[in-house]
Amino acid sequence: MRPDFSLMLVADEIHFRRGLCEDHIMRALQGGVTIIQLREKYASSQDFYYDAKAAVDLARSIGVAILINDRVDIAIAVKADG
């Protein structure tokens, strides 16, 4: 899949800390976001894995690419697009 960079959502640690990541991602996808980047610097690897996996599943259900910032291990584990 070739990513469409016309409207990118960058979900960061603020979304994760408040437990809003899935809700924000779903709303963004419904609003026309064409690619998602996840950034998380403070969560445990396990917590970020579960959040990232849920985000990948949501994005894939709509055909949107998802990127994981600064965590190659998580990106590979959840089969992100980059």
Side-chain angles (χ1 to χ4, degrees):
M1 164 176 36
R2 181 171 168 80
D4 174 358
F5 290 94
S6 58
L7 183 58
M8 177 185 279
L9 168 69
V10 178
D12 63 10
E13 54 270 355
I14 292 170
H15 298 103
F16 287 101
R17 256 190 309 227
R18 293 183 183 163
L20 301 173
C21 193
E22 277 187 69
D23 183 52
H24 281 199
I25 288 172
M26 181 53 78
R27 288 174 189 246
L29 290 168
Q30 291 169 341
V33 161
T34 58
I35 190 166
I36 298 168
Q37 177 185 2
L38 299 181
R39 303 178 68 220
E40 174 53 68
K41 298 183 187 292
Y42 303 106
S44 70
S45 293
Q46 182 179 12
D47 287 345
F48 188 37
Y49 168 83
Y50 288 117
D51 287 334
K53 179 69 174 129
V56 166
D57 291 344
L58 281 173
R60 290 265 162 73
S61 72
I62 298 179
V64 170
I66 190 161
L67 310 173
I68 307 291
N69 193 59
D70 293 333
R71 292 296 305 265
V72 174
D73 58 331
I74 300 292
I76 290 169
V78 299
K79 299 181 177 138
D81 299 295

